[in-house]
Amino acid sequence: MSSETPFQINIPDEKLSILRAKLELATFPDELEDIGWNHGPPLADMKRLTERWRNGYNWRKYEKELNQELPMFTRDIGVDGFGALNIHYVHKKSKTVDAIPLLFCHGWPGSFLEIRGMLSLLTASSPEHPSFHVVALSLPGFGFSEGAHKPGFALDQYAEVAHKLMIALGYNEYVTQGGDWGFLITRRMASKYGGKHHKAWHTNFPMADPPSWKSPLSFLSFLLTPWSAEEKAGLERTAWYRTKSSGYFVEQSTFPQTLAYGFTDSPVALLGWFYEKLVIWTDDHKWTDDEALTWISIYWFSRAGPGAAHRIYSEVHGDFYNLGRTSYPTIPMGASYFPKELLLLPSAWLRRLNNVVIESHHKSGGHFAAYERPEELVEDVRKMFAKGGPAFAIVPGRSGYA
């Protein structure tokens, strides 16, 4: 593994000119009367966002903000069978020497941007709460990380990259936090590297299989215990996702290359695909146009191209719904539940087969909890590793306190 290289985002002027030229040529479909969001992003929203992206949105302004705000680096990480991949990551150390090394792992359609609201909170030093050294990588094929160049780059490989990055940074023992694909990746890390290196993990996307007849007592309890109001609402949200909002999953996990042609050639296609998710997967988050366009621009300008990131669905598809057929991690786990998450299953299902040491249930927040509710998520993580918390001093010599 190579040494790290400081990184600054600097999109070539030529790419900005090509983007504007493509937006100039945008052609829009018609729209059914009074259809609202029932068929996807409204035509008026798409026209407004396209015009803003073309004329008014200042990428250089936000590029500068990111460069000033986030300490970014790249380094080569060797992946067994795939050679070395150049990985982009944010790395900010706390002033507290004994801060806890924490890896933040995003998912799709997220990116390293999701750490922005949490970074200063997690690294803050105080006698009242633990502090963390934070690493937030761009997953291979996302953001400014190099993508895999051949098939077979699956969950083990994503976990290998993240683990080797922490080792390369000198963090031989660490904890993790993640949602969406970050849940599955850090879960695999907990299974492969748990105990010796990976000491504890926290997620805001807690998934678990329901009890089955193979565990008679758990299954009987499952049949006889009535749902709480929160559990009913969660199962209704899960049913909504599966029937109304999961079509993307099928296409991305079967023929991602088909989508890649549209995403790579048409910024409007990319905009529509992503903006839909940003709006309906959050808990009434008030996206400004520039905020949404910055999020989507990270994909448009990504190193591997806007058609690369969603390949993770095809490569890792078998692991997504395969939770009950693999061993469960034994290291301490924390879970946060937000009411507008996509899959909201009874917390008892998670506790049944995982070493859940702390869980939190929130009144608001959606799929992008790190971005929508950074204060609440940071507080959950702090409680897990705080003095008196269930995972206090889980990393030897790194209590998180001065």
Side-chain angles (χ1 to χ4, degrees):
M1 287 179 281
S2 66
S3 59
E4 73 179 12
T5 301
F7 179 84
Q8 292 270 284
I9 306 171
N10 185 19
I11 303 304
D13 289 337
E14 180 184 8
K15 289 192 174 183
L16 294 173
S17 297
I18 291 172
L19 171 59
R20 293 191 194 96
K22 287 180 176 291
L23 292 170
E24 287 275 5
L25 297 173
T27 301
F28 295 94
D30 65 352
E31 180 181 62
L32 298 180
E33 294 180 4
D34 302 320
I35 196 64
W37 272 88
N38 291 329
H39 284 183
L43 181 59
D45 288 4
M46 287 297 297
K47 286 185 174 180
R48 185 191 72 252
L49 285 163
T50 299
E51 176 58 23
R52 176 64 181 174
W53 209 2
R54 182 189 70 83
N55 183 26
Y57 174 74
N58 185 354
W59 165 257
R60 293 296 184 206
K61 171 186 175 183
Y62 299 106
E63 180 183 73
K64 181 178 180 181
E65 286 182 3
L66 292 172
N67 285 333
Q68 292 176 339
E69 180 182 338
L70 302 176
M72 294 181 284
F73 307 87
T74 61
R75 74 164 65 226
D76 290 343
I77 301 291
V79 186
D80 292 343
F82 291 85
L85 297 180
N86 191 249
I87 301 300
H88 163 262
Y89 56 96
V90 174
H91 182 201
K92 185 173 182 179
K93 286 191 171 186
S94 168
K95 293 181 180 179
T96 300
V97 176
D98 293 333
I100 304 164
L102 181 145
L103 173 77
F104 173 82
C105 193
H106 68 82
W108 185 95
S111 72
F112 68 94
L113 287 183
E114 293 179 76
I115 196 61
R116 291 181 75 180
M118 298 174 63
L119 191 60
S120 62
L121 298 173
L122 287 169
T123 57
S125 298
S126 170
E128 303 300 323
H129 59 70
S131 182
F132 301 84
H133 299 314
V134 178
V135 179
L137 83 163
S138 292
L139 292 173
F142 288 72
F144 302 108
S145 283
E146 183 179 1
H149 301 285
K150 59 183 180 179
F153 198 94
L155 201 57
D156 279 339
Q157 286 69 42
Y158 284 100
E160 182 183 349
V161 167
H163 169 68
K164 285 184 174 179
L165 174 60
M166 294 300 281
I167 298 299
L169 292 172
Y171 301 135
N172 291 321
E173 296 169 302
Y174 58 84
V175 302
T176 62
Q177 201 291 320
D180 194 80
W181 285 112
F183 160 76
L184 283 171
I185 292 167
T186 56
R187 180 182 183 276
R188 182 57 56 89
M189 293 172 71
S191 295
K192 291 188 68 174
Y193 311 111
K196 182 178 181 180
H197 297 288
H198 192 183
K199 295 300 185 179
W201 62 306
H202 184 279
T203 185
N204 51 285
F205 192 62
M207 290 174 54
D209 285 329
S212 73
W213 59 269
K214 295 179 181 179
S215 301
L217 291 179
S218 294
F219 189 59
L220 183 62
S221 176
F222 164 62
L223 293 176
L224 298 178
T225 304
W227 304 119
S228 68
E230 179 184 335
E231 289 169 336
K232 288 179 181 178
L235 292 171
E236 289 173 0
R237 176 69 173 176
T238 302
W240 167 85
Y241 166 74
R242 287 177 169 166
T243 57
K244 295 291 291 182
S245 191
S246 63
Y248 78 97
F249 191 101
V250 177
E251 184 65 19
Q252 293 185 177
S253 61
T254 52
F255 294 104
Q257 190 67 18
T258 304
L259 290 171
Y261 297 119
F263 292 165
T264 303
D265 186 63
S266 172
V268 176
L270 187 73
L271 172 62
W273 196 259
F274 275 68
Y275 188 63
E276 171 201 305
K277 309 299 185 291
L278 295 183
V279 173
I280 67 175
W281 286 3
T282 52
D283 190 3
D284 197 31
H285 182 73
K286 304 301 183 185
W287 293 94
T288 68
D289 287 353
D290 281 17
E291 183 185 13
L293 291 172
T294 299
W295 187 293
I296 296 162
S297 292
I298 293 295
Y299 276 82
W300 180 258
F301 294 128
S302 65
R303 177 172 180 170
H310 60 283
R311 289 176 184 148
I312 190 173
Y313 285 81
S314 177
E315 298 289 77
V316 189
H317 179 255
D319 289 299
F320 195 85
Y321 291 117
N322 202 21
L323 297 177
R325 300 174 190 170
T326 56
S327 60
Y328 282 81
T330 59
I331 62 173
M333 177 188 186
S336 295
Y337 291 83
F338 291 87
K340 293 300 181 181
E341 185 51 272
L342 304 180
L343 298 172
L344 279 169
L345 306 173
S347 56
W349 296 5
L350 190 74
R351 293 193 300 270
R352 184 173 59 94
L353 293 173
N354 290 274
N355 183 17
V356 179
V357 298
I358 191 169
E359 64 183 59
S360 302
H361 298 257
H362 296 273
K363 300 297 184 182
S364 64
H367 184 60
F368 306 104
Y371 193 83
E372 298 175 64
R373 301 291 188 273
E375 294 86 0
E376 288 91 331
L377 189 56
V378 167
E379 185 61 25
D380 291 349
V381 173
R382 285 173 175 170
K383 287 179 180 178
M384 181 173 178
F385 298 101
K387 292 178 181 178
F392 173 62
I394 193 77
V395 178
R398 295 182 179 273
S399 68
Y401 295 85

